[in-house]
């Protein structure tokens, strides 16, 4: 299966913050937690089946299991800073149940997304090898176009992931749209893997107030940036937090038009 052939569409499961530790804080036991994570995959897979039945002409329809960072569990905005530390054994224990549930539920691949920390990326790569049938893309939040949010140069992270047989793409997500192009251009010098780009609306997350600040105007301009992202090597393109259905529809229309014209 070529994950990134022309016309492929991809849905991401609603498991970004779905972890046993997070559920435990709500009084949900590990067995129930696993069921909920599996359900997030089953719902996406069922939606794919329904869409395929109604649109048999549709191209490949993929389901990626979302594996959010430890910072998302902390719910303090640290997925945009990467300023947390956890021994690798504990990091593995944190991520293992969710990955196991998603893989066994039958997702096509994993989305190790919104990753701000080089140490966590290394832990996830080690954990992925416990599931040899699984594949994943890794996408990062950034301090600037050349550094992860924790300050690690992207070249170091790309060197760790590039060439690994279970890693199918590298990229960025939930960063401002304006940062995507220079970040992708830099990543393209570090890897031959397909690139991933799905920015947020351009708003900033206020962790203390639990809200997004700004007007989100950049979300309306996603479609206008697609050509630059594709030129830099992006093959899986979409939107993350605060992007709207309208913005995604415009983006998809632009991608379809490019495909029709061989772009």
């Amino acid at each position: 299966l070529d994950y990134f052939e022309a016309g492929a569409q991809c849905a991401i499961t609603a498991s970004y913050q779905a972890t046993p530790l997070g559920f435990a804080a709500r009084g949900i036991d590990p067995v129930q937690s696993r069921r909920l994570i599996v359900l997030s995959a089953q719902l996406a897979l069922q939606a794919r089946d329904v869409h395929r039945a109604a649109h048999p002409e549709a191209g490949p329809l993929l389901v990626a299991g979302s594996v959010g960072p430890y910072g998302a569990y902390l719910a303090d905005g640290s997925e945009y800073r990467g300023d947390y530390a956890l021994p690798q054994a504990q990091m593995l224990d944190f991520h293992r149940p969710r990955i196991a549930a998603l893989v066994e539920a039958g997702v096509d691949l994993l989305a190790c997304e919104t990753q701000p920390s080089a140490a966590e990326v290394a832990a996830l790569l080690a954990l992925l090898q416990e599931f040899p049938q699984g594949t994943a893309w890794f996408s990062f939040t950034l301090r600037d176009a050349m550094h992860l949010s924790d300050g690690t140069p992207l070249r170091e992270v790309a060197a760790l992931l590039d060439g690994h047989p279970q890693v199918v793409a590298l990229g960025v997500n939930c960063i401002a749209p304006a940062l995507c192009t220079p970040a992708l251009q830099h990543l393209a010098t570090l890897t031959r893997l397909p690139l991933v780009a799905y920015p947020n609306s351009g708003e900033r997350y206020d962790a203390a107030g639990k809200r997004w600040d700004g007007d989100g105007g950049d979300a309306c301009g996603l479609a206008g940036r697609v050509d630059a992202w594709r030129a830099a090597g992006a093959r899986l393109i979409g939107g993350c937090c605060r992007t709207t259905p309208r913005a995604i529809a415009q983006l998809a229309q632009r991608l379809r038009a490019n495909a029709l014209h061989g772009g």
Side-chain angles (χ1 to χ4, degrees):
L1 173 65
D2 181 356
Y3 289 122
F4 305 105
E5 62 184 283
Q9 299 182 67
C10 184
I12 303 176
T13 61
S15 53
Y16 175 75
Q17 286 182 295
T19 63
L21 278 180
F23 284 131
R26 296 288 183 175
I28 299 173
D29 66 37
V31 173
Q32 292 173 301
S33 295
R34 180 182 177 81
R35 288 174 180 163
L36 289 170
I37 295 168
V38 168
L39 182 60
S40 76
Q42 290 174 336
L43 289 171
L45 293 165
Q46 289 170 9
R48 174 173 67 184
D49 292 342
V50 169
H51 184 80
R52 185 173 283 152
H55 303 278
E57 77 287 356
L61 304 174
L62 307 176
V63 173
S66 175
V67 179
Y70 184 75
Y73 154 71
L74 296 175
D76 61 358
S78 56
E79 62 261 62
Y80 304 111
R81 302 188 307 269
D83 56 352
Y84 51 84
L86 200 67
Q88 187 177 70
Q90 292 183 38
M91 189 68 79
L92 296 176
D93 289 343
F94 172 79
H95 283 294
R96 186 179 289 110
R98 175 172 49 186
I99 289 179
L102 291 169
V103 169
E104 292 171 22
V107 297
D108 295 301
L109 71 165
L110 299 170
C112 296
E113 58 180 355
T114 327
Q115 297 295 323
S117 160
E120 187 165 15
V121 169
L124 282 167
L125 185 63
L127 185 56
L128 189 60
Q129 294 171 70
E130 295 182 16
F131 303 89
Q133 75 277 32
T135 56
W137 81 61
F138 282 76
S139 54
F140 318 114
T141 61
L142 304 179
R143 177 175 297 184
D144 56 47
M146 294 186 176
H147 297 85
L148 286 189
S149 293
D150 71 354
T152 303
L154 276 174
R155 65 176 179 275
E156 294 182 12
V157 184
L160 178 67
L161 299 171
D162 191 45
H164 193 282
Q166 290 178 268
V167 179
V168 298
L170 301 181
V172 293
N173 78 285
C174 218
I175 64 173
L179 186 55
C180 270
T181 299
L184 291 170
Q185 289 171 338
H186 180 55
L187 274 171
T189 69
L190 306 175
T191 181
R192 293 185 179 182
L193 286 168
L195 301 183
V196 179
Y198 51 115
N200 58 36
S201 66
E203 295 168 87
R204 288 185 172 272
Y205 186 64
D206 176 356
K210 304 294 185 185
R211 64 177 182 267
W212 289 85
D213 292 332
D215 63 11
D218 277 0
C220 297
L222 293 185
R225 302 177 188 268
V226 164
D227 293 351
W229 297 346
R230 283 189 57 82
R235 293 297 175 265
L236 191 64
I237 298 172
C240 201
C241 290
R242 307 287 286 182
T243 55
T244 64
R246 178 170 175 251
I248 299 303
Q250 292 171 342
L251 187 153
Q253 183 178 20
R254 181 61 173 261
L255 288 171
R256 285 193 295 268
N258 286 350
L260 287 173
H261 293 90

